[in-house]
Amino acid sequence: MDRRRFPADPWQLVETSYSGGDLGACETLFSVGNGYLGMRGNPEEGREAAEHGTFINGFHETWPIQHAEAAFGFARTGQTIVNVPDAKLIKIYVDDEPLMLGTSELEHYERRLDFRSGMLCRSLIWRTPAGKRVKVESTRMVSMVERHLACMTLEVTMLTGDAPLVISSQLLNRQDGQDDYRREGGGSGPTDPRKASGFEGRVLLPRYHDASDDRLALGYQCAHSGMTIGVAVQHRFETTDGHEVVMRSSDDLAKAVFRVEATEGTPVRLEKVVTYHTSRGVRPRELRDRCDRTLDRVARHTLQHYRDKQREWYDGFWEAADVEVGASTEVQQAVRFNLFTLAQASARADGLGIAAKGVTGSGYEGHYFWDTEIYVMPFLTYTQPQLARNALHFRRRMLPAARIRAQEMAQSGALFPWRTINGEEASAYYAAGSAQMHINGDIVYALMQYVTGSGDHDFLRLDGVDLLVETARMWSDLGFWRTNGGAPTFHIHGVTGPDEYTTVVNNNLFTNLMARFNLDAAARTTSRLLEVDPVAHDKLVGRLGLRKEEVEEWQRCADGMTVPFDEGLGIHPQDDFFLDREVWDLSRTPADLRPLMLHYHPLVIYRFQVLKQADVVLAMFLHGNRFTPEEKKADFEYYDPITTGDSTLSAVVQSIMAAEVGYHDVAMDYFQRALYTDLGDLHHNTVDGMHVASSGGVWEALVFGFAGMRDHGGQLSFDPRLPSTWDSIAFSLAWQGSRLGVQVAQDALSLRLVKGDGPVALTVRGEPYTLTSDRTLKIPLPDQGPRFDGLLGDKPHSGGIRADGTRITAGVPDPVQINERHDPYSEVSWSMEPDRG
């Protein structure tokens, strides 16, 4: 980051000068949201802008997926988040000249996003073409307390001279319409699956519009999904100067125009309070009534009242979620920015999922992925347990659709979609999408982690157990038994793991371990339920037809699960045939050919040992108690050089495991990449929205990586790996109704009970301790674990001998350039450059 323009501040993201060169990324970074409603950091004037956007979690349009060659069970219905009517728009004219960032002359400019209040503030001084100086100050806030509420202010003061001033406060349907200054740009690339698709035809069908009694209102229904939305605005306008107000509305635009004879030194203040309500089927007129009720209630209080409530909410959030890092101010700022992102993505989701981009952009079409369970849920479980419970309840609500999906895939039980909004599978490319059946295990892993960490066994008994049963049924039906001279082993074929560069394989290690965890958890939980709550067990049997025999089979499947291991190489193969492939030499792949998925046909990538994201490494993190230290180090050393990092999900997991096995320089390198994924726009797609899972991973890298916290088998443990350049890490941890204060320093680990009476049992480097409320545990640390200096680089390991005696070689596919004299429609040929090392 340019620190002259973005100075380091531990509690704010500050921009001190305007630039049009990174509009899209900055619009994302300066977004405000609450998990339900999100507003991108577009300027109030609506221009300049790369990607205008206001988004509501789960509010989407559907469309038929057109397959070039259709087949049974392919995803049929696409789902894309809708850009809802824009209420941010407040245009300013002085002497009939518009304020336009990028072309107007600015003597001063500053924008601040405050992590402690969730407030976006901007201040500027504009010199008009006539030489008059105008101060413009604005604020924007999406409420964490009032889920449907956003509040904005604008204050304009003529610093020199008098002038006619016009303020045009608008509600604009940008999804279907456009204003006079809309600039097309930042659109979706046709081959980039990370971006949202465009719609054909009108999306939001007008159902009402109004501009009266100081309120603006628009209402719509989505053309195909049938979802409805109502949005309304209440204004409070203050000035001692003479003025008039003109209000008007049409299908796609409602506005209140304030015309002022502004005098020098006299402030003109506008408060704009906005409410959005959405539904899957309620008529828009009913939503209009809801909007009016919200605005009537809000009108009984001052704007400062809601700002104070917002600050109280964030005070509670930071008390539980903050991570204080004994490092530079720059690092502390970036850490808190990522944690702030998690709050804005999840706090008021309230029964909805947490999308990959939260409510900051249209990337990935607003879909929910397995990212939530693995990268965001741990943060929620150990800092905001109620929010974790809400997210799991959302998955429980999707269970009926998951049962239907399992039937489509000829499986028993339930199969959750890889990507979705409404519960239906929306991945048109099944090989790297629907085949990722590990989503079932990911959900169960998050469920059991939540139950263990929170002690909320009631949720498991009343809600979660159905998830366990139906997902276990899918795994036991999907897999099969095989005997080869020894004890029977359980196998799972035809699946894809987290690594999307290796698809539809047999015995994917990650998938098998998640399935084993899932099956074991289902068998143990249902058996335990029979012992401790026979009534609840009887209800489960009546509800799902649970049989004793299938529970016993789940345990056999878990105990007999195949876990690939290559004795010769001493590593766990990613799948049965992964090591049969040649290795892609990333050290000889130019940077301008990254990410690989945008420059190589999938079949080219699938032929090599090359990873989009950590797969075996992620399995070692989640199931670390099933690997020896020696296996972890060997696996990490093999897979790290062939992992491209094309996925933002990789860096955090690689940082955690690098720290554990002792590659401290590697751990810090990956942590820095994760920390600045969006702040530095490292993947060049921050314009599409925040990488919420990566932000969750930053917390994981701090707590699981550098603080060495683990929860395997329900046992809380620590084995710190503090970076040598840091003095300490301090954070809170929710554990079974208590809250712990944890501080890791270079020479000691300190723990205390912040909330709760204890006792809390835990281990530190294998030694048992008990934490009680009457004292602080301070445990000396003679070191920070093993230390291996330097980076591993991206030169792959080659020369190893496979089980069949062949030698592993490395190379890189080299696209042959088309000669312009040749037929432009001729095929591009590919050559394989052999390994010369």
Side-chain angles (χ1 to χ4, degrees):
M1 299 183 71
D2 179 356
R3 288 302 174 183
R4 292 166 298 183
R5 182 175 162 214
F6 299 100
D9 185 304
W11 284 106
Q12 297 181 101
L13 179 63
V14 183
E15 181 187 31
T16 60
S17 62
Y18 174 81
S19 172
D22 54 1
L23 279 179
C26 284
E27 289 165 5
T28 294
L29 297 178
F30 286 91
S31 295
V32 289
N34 64 6
Y36 169 74
L37 169 64
M39 294 179 163
R40 286 175 62 79
N42 305 118
E44 284 75 4
E45 306 77 35
R47 59 221 188 234
E48 296 280 325
E51 292 277 339
H52 286 288
T54 302
F55 300 99
I56 291 179
N57 190 355
F59 187 77
H60 68 281
E61 177 65 305
T62 56
W63 43 275
I65 297 175
Q66 300 296 326
H67 296 278
E69 296 183 19
F72 181 82
F74 277 17
R76 297 183 297 273
T77 305
Q79 306 144 45
T80 300
I81 194 168
V82 172
N83 190 357
V84 302
D86 184 6
K88 304 186 302 294
L89 193 56
I90 310 175
K91 297 183 178 181
I92 303 172
Y93 303 83
V94 173
D95 287 329
D96 294 328
E97 297 290 343
L99 171 60
M100 296 181 64
L101 300 186
T103 59
S104 296
E105 181 182 354
L106 302 181
E107 292 185 359
H108 164 77
Y109 174 93
E110 183 176 86
R111 182 163 56 161
R112 293 176 176 268
L113 181 60
D114 191 329
F115 309 149
R116 290 169 294 192
S117 66
M119 186 88 70
L120 177 64
C121 303
R122 193 192 69 176
S123 173
L124 61 85
I125 295 177
W126 166 34
R127 179 179 288 274
T128 72
K132 297 176 181 178
R133 299 171 65 246
V134 186
K135 183 169 74 170
V136 181
E137 295 180 309
S138 62
T139 68
R140 186 182 301 165
M141 181 188 84
V142 174
S143 175
M144 293 294 189
V145 179
E146 294 281 347
R147 184 184 189 224
H148 300 274
L149 182 66
C151 304
M152 288 157 270
T153 67
L154 178 75
E155 188 166 295
V156 181
T157 306
M158 297 296 302
L159 297 181
T160 57
D162 304 337
L165 166 67
V166 175
I167 299 174
S168 178
S169 174
Q170 303 185 7
L171 268 180
L172 173 65
N173 172 17
R174 292 190 183 277
Q175 181 65 67
D176 299 296
Q178 61 184 39
D179 66 9
D180 295 337
Y181 297 95
R182 179 175 180 180
R183 187 185 78 173
E184 300 293 342
S188 302
T191 61
D192 192 341
R194 302 168 298 183
K195 292 181 175 289
S197 305
F199 291 104
E200 294 184 4
R202 189 175 179 100
V203 175
L204 296 176
L205 304 179
R207 292 296 182 256
Y208 66 79
H209 61 83
D210 188 30
S212 60
D213 300 326
D214 297 327
R215 288 186 183 176
L216 308 176
L218 295 176
Y220 299 92
Q221 183 170 26
C222 288
H224 300 288
S225 72
M227 296 194 74
T228 52
I229 183 170
V231 54
V233 174
Q234 176 78 52
H235 293 104
R236 292 174 181 166
F237 185 73
E238 298 175 3
T239 185
T240 57
D241 287 332
H243 66 277
E244 64 175 343
V245 182
V246 178
M247 302 181 70
R248 61 175 67 100
S249 67
S250 59
D251 283 347
D252 292 318
L253 176 64
K255 59 181 170 181
V257 180
F258 303 87
R259 300 169 177 170
V260 186
E261 293 300 323
T263 59
E264 182 177 322
T266 304
V268 177
R269 179 178 173 82
L270 175 67
E271 293 183 1
K272 185 175 185 178
V273 179
V274 187
T275 183
Y276 289 85
H277 284 268
T278 55
S279 171
R280 291 188 177 274
V282 171
R283 296 180 63 176
R285 287 291 176 181
E286 164 62 20
L287 297 184
R288 170 65 190 271
D289 292 341
R290 296 182 188 180
C291 288
D292 283 340
R293 288 195 295 270
T294 299
L295 292 180
D296 289 344
R297 183 177 67 253
V298 171
R300 292 195 288 267
H301 301 281
T302 65
L303 184 58
Q304 188 60 46
H305 168 81
Y306 291 101
R307 289 178 173 177
D308 292 343
K309 291 293 185 182
Q310 180 93 333
R311 182 58 186 258
E312 289 176 17
W313 189 94
Y314 269 107
D315 286 346
F317 171 80
W318 289 114
E319 182 181 3
D322 193 20
V323 180
E324 296 183 75
V325 180
S328 67
T329 303
E330 288 81 0
V331 170
Q332 184 66 77
Q333 177 190 44
V335 166
R336 287 192 174 124
F337 175 80
N338 281 279
L339 301 182
F340 179 72
T341 293
L342 295 171
Q344 294 203 124
S346 64
R348 298 310 307 270
D350 292 10
L352 297 169
I354 300 169
K357 298 295 186 180
V359 283
T360 64
S362 61
Y364 292 112
E365 304 193 88
H367 291 171
Y368 315 128
F369 292 78
W370 65 284
D371 309 12
T372 298
E373 279 71 28
I374 300 302
Y375 294 90
V376 179
M377 282 292 292
F379 167 78
L380 298 179
T381 290
Y382 292 116
T383 67
Q384 313 288 321
Q386 182 58 45
L387 301 186
R389 195 181 200 274
N390 289 346
L392 289 167
H393 180 69
F394 165 74
R395 287 296 193 183
R396 173 63 181 83
R397 288 174 49 214
M398 291 177 63
L399 189 56
R403 291 188 179 110
I404 294 173
R405 182 58 178 165
Q407 293 172 7
E408 291 177 340
M409 300 293 285
Q411 303 299 151
S412 302
L415 176 58
F416 283 87
W418 181 62
R419 62 186 296 176
T420 189
I421 297 178
N422 63 14
E424 298 179 28
E425 177 62 79
S427 174
Y429 186 58
Y430 71 88
S434 301
Q436 291 201 43
M437 295 180 173
H438 62 82
I439 179 67
N440 270 19
D442 305 332
I443 292 170
V444 168
Y445 189 96
L447 167 65
M448 299 309 294
Q449 186 175 60
Y450 164 73
V451 171
T452 297
S454 67
D456 187 0
H457 294 281
D458 283 344
F459 179 80
L460 181 63
R461 175 173 59 87
L462 298 174
D463 226 8
V465 69
D466 289 29
L467 291 171
L468 289 173
V469 169
E470 296 289 53
T471 52
R473 283 172 169 167
M474 193 284 293
W475 290 121
S476 63
D477 186 39
L478 178 65
F480 64 94
W481 292 95
R482 176 173 287 177
T483 304
N484 187 17
T489 51
F490 192 72
H491 298 251
I492 298 175
H493 285 188
V495 297
T496 298
D499 170 35
E500 296 162 30
Y501 285 175
T502 313
T503 65
V504 193
V505 298
N506 298 341
N507 290 318
N508 170 257
L509 178 79
F510 180 89
T511 302
N512 283 18
L513 289 179
M514 297 305 285
R516 178 168 67 180
F517 181 92
N518 193 159
L519 290 159
D520 181 75
R524 292 178 183 272
T525 299
T526 53
S527 298
R528 179 65 176 163
L529 187 63
L530 178 60
E531 295 177 5
V532 302
D533 195 340
V535 174
H537 188 272
D538 285 345
K539 290 181 179 179
L540 177 65
V541 170
R543 191 166 63 247
L544 300 181
L546 181 67
R547 296 177 292 106
K548 178 182 178 182
E549 295 78 16
E550 62 179 331
V551 175
E552 294 172 346
E553 176 65 9
W554 296 341
Q555 194 62 63
R556 284 195 296 271
C557 293
D559 295 340
M561 185 67 66
T562 298
V563 180
F565 186 76
D566 188 287
E567 296 287 351
L569 295 175
I571 64 170
H572 292 84
Q574 186 167 294
D575 57 71
D576 279 353
F577 303 111
F578 185 80
L579 297 179
D580 290 347
R581 301 177 176 92
E582 299 306 303
V583 178
W584 189 308
D585 189 347
L586 292 174
S587 69
R588 304 204 317 250
T589 304
D592 59 2
L593 294 181
R594 307 279 190 93
L596 302 186
M597 63 184 178
L598 300 185
H599 298 91
Y600 295 91
H601 191 284
L603 289 177
V604 175
I605 299 172
Y606 296 164
R607 295 182 186 122
F608 291 88
Q609 292 184 43
V610 63
L611 313 183
K612 182 185 178 195
Q613 60 205 57
D615 196 308
V616 172
V617 174
L618 178 58
M620 291 193 297
F621 165 49
L622 298 181
H623 304 281
N625 54 334
R626 296 187 178 273
F627 295 80
T628 67
E630 294 75 20
E631 289 171 343
K632 291 177 183 178
K633 185 172 182 290
D635 284 344
F636 184 81
E637 290 174 341
Y638 187 86
Y639 286 104
D640 189 69
I642 58 174
T643 303
T644 62
D646 289 348
S647 168
T648 58
L649 302 181
S650 269
V652 290
V653 174
Q654 287 165 282
S655 177
I656 293 168
M657 290 310 302
E660 181 176 343
V661 301
Y663 285 106
H664 64 107
D665 290 332
V666 176
M668 181 55 75
D669 180 64
Y670 279 126
F671 177 73
Q672 291 284 342
R673 297 189 205 181
L675 193 61
Y676 291 99
T677 291
D678 286 310
L679 284 172
D681 195 12
L682 300 186
H683 289 251
H684 310 295
N685 65 341
T686 298
V687 60
D688 300 319
M690 289 294 300
H691 294 83
V692 175
S694 180
S695 292
V698 167
W699 183 89
E700 289 182 310
L702 290 164
V703 174
F704 293 133
F706 298 141
M709 179 267 200
R710 294 291 186 275
D711 54 6
H712 298 315
Q715 173 68 56
L716 182 62
S717 66
F718 293 90
D719 187 2
R721 297 290 191 272
L722 189 66
S724 58
T725 56
W726 291 9
D727 296 330
S728 62
I729 302 175
F731 56 92
S732 292
L733 199 69
W735 180 258
Q736 298 181 354
S738 298
R739 186 169 296 281
L740 285 62
V742 182
Q743 183 179 50
V744 180
Q746 291 292 346
D747 61 347
L749 169 66
S750 299
L751 303 113
R752 62 187 179 91
L753 270 178
V754 177
K755 178 182 176 182
D757 299 324
V760 174
L762 54 93
T763 65
V764 178
R765 293 187 174 168
E767 294 296 321
Y769 295 89
T770 301
L771 183 61
T772 58
S773 59
D774 59 345
R775 67 190 181 97
T776 297
L777 274 177
K778 187 171 184 179
I779 303 163
L781 297 174
D783 55 54
Q784 293 294 329
R787 295 282 189 177
F788 305 106
D789 296 335
L791 304 179
L792 292 177
D794 53 6
K795 183 67 176 176
H797 292 274
S798 60
I801 305 300
R802 301 184 179 92
D804 63 1
T806 59
R807 184 180 299 275
I808 295 177
T809 59
V812 57
D814 178 27
V816 177
Q817 300 299 317
I818 300 176
N819 190 311
E820 292 182 358
R821 294 174 297 176
H822 291 175
D823 179 3
Y825 298 100
S826 63
E827 292 186 358
V828 178
S829 60
W830 299 81
S831 64
M832 177 68 190
E833 182 180 356
D835 177 44
R836 308 228 183 248

